[in-house]
Amino acid sequence: MSLSYEGTIPSRPRYGQLTPRPGSGHLFVADGEGADAILALFAGPGAKGMLATTQIVYMPGPTGTDKSAELEKLGADIFFRAPDYSTAQPRLKRLFGSAHMGLQLYLTGTEGLIGQAQRDAIEAGLPHTAMQTEHRGSTVRRVQCVHCKGITENVRTDPFVCSHCGLNLFVRDHYSRRLAAFQGVNIDAEDPGQVPPQVERFA
Amino acid sequence: MSAGAQRLDVTVAEVVDVNPLIKRFRFVRTGGGALPTFSGGSHIVVDMDDAGTRRLNPYSLMSDPGQTDSYMISVRRDDNGRGGSLYMHRSVRPGMQMQIGWPVNLFPSDLRAKKHLMIAGGIGITPFLAQMAQLDRIGGRFELHYAARNRTLGAYMDELQTRYGARVQTYLDEEGQAMDLKGLLTSQPFGTHLYVCGPKPMIGWVLDTARTLGWPEGALHSEEFLAPPVGQPFEVELARSGKTIRVGAAQSLLEALEAAGVDAPYLCRGGACGQCETDVCEADGTFEHNDHWLSDAEKASGRKIMPCVSRFRGARLVIDR
Ligand code: FES
């Protein structure tokens, strides 16, 4: 699944491609197909020597992709598998709290994963431009309802029903770095019940 | 009119000899009252009337940003400079009325940082004095590493060590004390931002070392005010105002524009902020680009010039002013 940036707005995050960078250590945070980006980086030039100082925190993707076995075989200094981001989060926060400047951060996989890891790194004091990101896999979105503030994970359709307050929400490209979420706005506020058919926009 | 060009009327309240090279000046608002608030790292442009020659030099505010009853700057005498610092040292006396620009901050502390690591060389200490006072008040974590030739020239070293204790480390070149920069940069907690102010070679050394060690660009901050270099006099045609002006050997193009009554934008007057960027309409000759603003490609294109520090040699130059 690849993302298209066509016709979007400036606040919509954009992603690049992971490349090895010099540093005292390397922390990869990935979910699902993000594993492929890590494998590709280590298959390329300039990365072999990094393995001894590499740590990988990995979780399966929202569509169930789990490439733990392949990643573990890579031979990084530390490989850690978590069931999901909220389980991995305390470990990441502890890592950020004890790490030193020079540690390189590589985030890859779904936008929800990248955004949340980025938010936690920014909270740890890192500039938002400091981490490398590469989108891989599912395009499902993490969306915050602007009305009840509840966050719905893995949104596939547009519009969708808020999992907290039940409003019909239209998925915008407007993105909050602080929340690591896109914005969802009620679509039938004027004419309750007038909801356009749901379209599978994210897969 | 450009932001930094807004003037404040001030009176010199105090002039203090800090050491053989540095004098400290304190300004209060003429007629009383508070001066505008500022944040640590800000500078002001001091307007000097040096026997008919107008000089506008930027100096970092060193006083505590929490105190707006007066501003303090420190000026290092440069005997080979164009004369601004010599004027400040020789002619500025308590009671004198002067004009200064509003504070502008091109070197702010990034308050999202977990820790602020500051590296100062010589007179480059001044912006950090204000930053530390501000951070200390809000409970920010910081550490200063301050190098100077010797203790006499290490302005404020003793006061800083008394006030901030182990958060201030000093290095005296003449006593062979060298900073272990690599050790320093590899032991900083994740989320630290780095700030450096001092002589050009020092800034280059610190930033290059940090980059090699994997520090991200967004965590690196530096400030260096370039004094406009002296050079050959040259002529410039001004396309918009229809004038032709001559830039003297010890004058900058920006100063020549101002002397001709042409309103040209500026903030730093030191080649750093980008505010004075000017389009070149025609050029037959060689540019002497001295700024830190334009990219190498822009410098090579010959389509842009930064009048605060850059010069020209050749047959003809026409700029869009
Ligand atoms: S005035 Fe700042 S670059 Fe010229």
Side-chain angles (χ1 to χ4, degrees):
Chain A
M1 203 55 50
S2 74
L3 291 173
S4 154
Y5 299 125
E6 220 169 288
T8 187
I9 55 172
S11 96
R12 198 241 179 285
R14 279 149 211 268
Y15 307 93
Q17 192 183 354
L18 304 187
T19 51
R21 273 193 201 158
S24 52
H26 307 271
L27 174 61
F28 291 81
V29 185
D31 73 350
E33 285 81 354
D36 297 331
I38 301 179
L39 294 168
L41 178 138
F42 280 99
K48 287 288 174 290
M50 287 166 44
L51 273 173
T53 50
T54 289
Q55 180 157 181
I56 302 174
V57 175
Y58 180 73
M59 57 223 81
T63 51
T65 310
D66 185 353
K67 303 202 170 189
S68 305
E70 281 166 76
L71 272 185
E72 207 170 350
K73 265 190 270 161
L74 200 56
D77 182 34
I78 298 174
F79 174 78
F80 178 79
R81 183 188 180 279
D84 52 32
Y85 190 79
S86 53
T87 319
Q89 195 184 35
R91 184 184 182 92
L92 287 176
K93 288 198 167 174
R94 187 153 37 86
L95 264 169
F96 293 154
S98 61
H100 292 110
M101 287 305 280
L103 173 73
Q104 303 299 307
L105 211 55
Y106 308 80
L107 315 177
T108 176
T110 62
E111 293 197 83
L113 175 278
I114 294 173
Q116 293 179 87
Q118 193 163 30
R119 175 201 59 204
D120 290 339
I122 291 168
E123 236 161 64
L126 215 63
H128 73 94
T129 49
M131 46 298 254
Q132 293 194 58
T133 59
E134 179 169 343
H135 176 263
R136 290 274 184 145
S138 170
T139 58
V140 295
R141 288 189 176 186
R142 186 177 141 86
V143 185
Q144 189 202 38
C145 170
V146 303
H147 311 283
C148 80
K149 309 295 176 205
I151 288 180
T152 305
E153 302 279 353
N154 305 331
V155 171
R156 284 161 208 281
T157 64
D158 188 16
F160 74 104
V161 177
C162 174
S163 61
H164 301 265
C165 68
L167 282 179
N168 289 297
L169 302 180
F170 160 61
V171 182
R172 299 193 56 205
D173 272 354
H174 186 96
Y175 183 82
S176 157
R177 212 183 275 144
R178 191 175 54 78
L179 299 164
F182 288 95
Q183 196 180 64
V185 185
N186 188 9
I187 208 163
D188 58 344
E190 314 276 290
D191 301 295
Q194 289 293 93
V195 182
Q198 290 190 338
V199 180
E200 281 264 351
R201 265 185 73 200
F202 319 108
Chain B
M1 189 182 271
S2 52
Q6 269 178 287
R7 319 264 85 202
L8 293 163
D9 291 309
V10 294
T11 302
V12 181
E14 193 182 29
V15 181
V16 176
D17 289 309
V18 177
N19 64 34
L21 283 181
I22 296 172
K23 278 193 186 200
R24 181 172 71 228
F25 300 85
R26 193 160 67 82
F27 302 109
V28 295
R29 196 165 208 148
T30 303
L35 287 157
T37 51
F38 66 98
S39 50
S42 298
H43 73 268
I44 51 167
V45 169
V46 177
D47 207 324
M48 308 170 205
D49 177 6
D50 184 2
T53 302
R54 186 173 182 217
R55 303 191 187 282
L56 293 156
N57 284 16
Y59 295 104
S60 295
L61 287 172
M62 58 172 280
S63 42
D64 184 339
Q67 284 164 10
T68 50
D69 54 330
S70 64
Y71 285 164
M72 282 195 279
I73 60 170
S74 281
V75 179
R76 185 189 199 279
R77 198 184 70 229
D78 181 357
D79 294 321
N80 303 314
R82 302 179 321 135
S85 68
L86 285 175
Y87 172 82
M88 291 299 290
H89 272 250
R90 289 177 186 156
S91 310
V92 175
R93 309 245 176 277
M96 239 171 91
Q97 305 218 348
M98 297 181 82
Q99 280 197 324
I100 60 174
W102 278 58
V104 170
N105 201 346
L106 300 173
F107 192 49
S109 308
D110 189 326
L111 296 178
R112 292 165 301 185
K114 274 286 166 302
K115 177 182 169 184
H116 306 269
L117 176 68
M118 306 167 181
I119 300 183
I123 191 68
I125 187 64
T126 51
F128 295 130
L129 298 171
Q131 288 190 348
M132 286 188 287
Q134 181 181 353
L135 289 169
D136 195 38
R137 181 167 315 107
I138 61 175
R141 184 171 167 203
F142 66 85
E143 200 176 292
L144 169 75
H145 294 261
Y146 176 16
R149 210 183 316 150
N150 53 46
R151 192 153 281 272
T152 317
L153 295 181
Y156 312 115
M157 272 186 178
D158 296 334
E159 285 123 282
L160 286 171
Q161 286 187 312
T162 309
R163 178 160 176 197
Y164 299 117
R167 288 181 286 176
V168 172
Q169 296 281 318
T170 60
Y171 306 84
L172 303 173
D173 298 346
E174 284 179 3
E175 293 180 23
Q177 301 168 340
M179 202 180 290
D180 172 15
L181 184 62
K182 207 173 161 203
L184 193 60
L185 294 181
T186 47
S187 60
Q188 295 305 313
F190 200 65
T192 302
H193 280 236
L194 172 66
Y195 306 81
V196 52
C197 185
K200 193 189 191 76
M202 178 192 209
I203 295 180
W205 172 59
V206 171
L207 295 182
D208 289 347
T209 309
R211 287 185 188 114
T212 314
L213 294 172
W215 282 63
E217 211 50 48
L220 305 179
H221 313 268
S222 64
E223 181 161 82
E224 181 204 1
F225 288 124
L226 294 170
V230 293
Q232 294 298 313
F234 60 101
E235 269 195 3
V236 189
E237 289 173 42
L238 311 179
R240 251 190 281 166
S241 27
K243 296 182 181 173
T244 299
I245 59 168
R246 189 180 156 79
V247 182
Q251 199 179 27
S252 70
L253 170 52
L254 177 61
E255 288 165 343
L257 288 166
E258 288 165 341
V262 176
D263 185 28
Y266 70 84
L267 281 181
C268 71
R269 308 183 76 89
C273 73
Q275 193 71 23
C276 68
E277 185 177 309
T278 301
D279 289 329
V280 171
C281 310
E282 254 185 85
D284 176 9
T286 320
F287 288 91
E288 295 171 9
H289 291 293
N290 296 310
D291 59 278
H292 300 306
W293 177 258
L294 297 175
S295 67
D296 289 345
E298 283 171 323
K299 286 180 181 171
S301 77
R303 309 302 308 163
K304 302 261 184 211
I305 186 166
M306 308 304 287
C308 63
V309 289
S310 297
R311 309 184 68 87
F312 181 79
R313 266 179 294 126
R316 187 170 140 93
L317 173 65
V318 187
I319 63 171
D320 186 26
R321 279 284 174 240

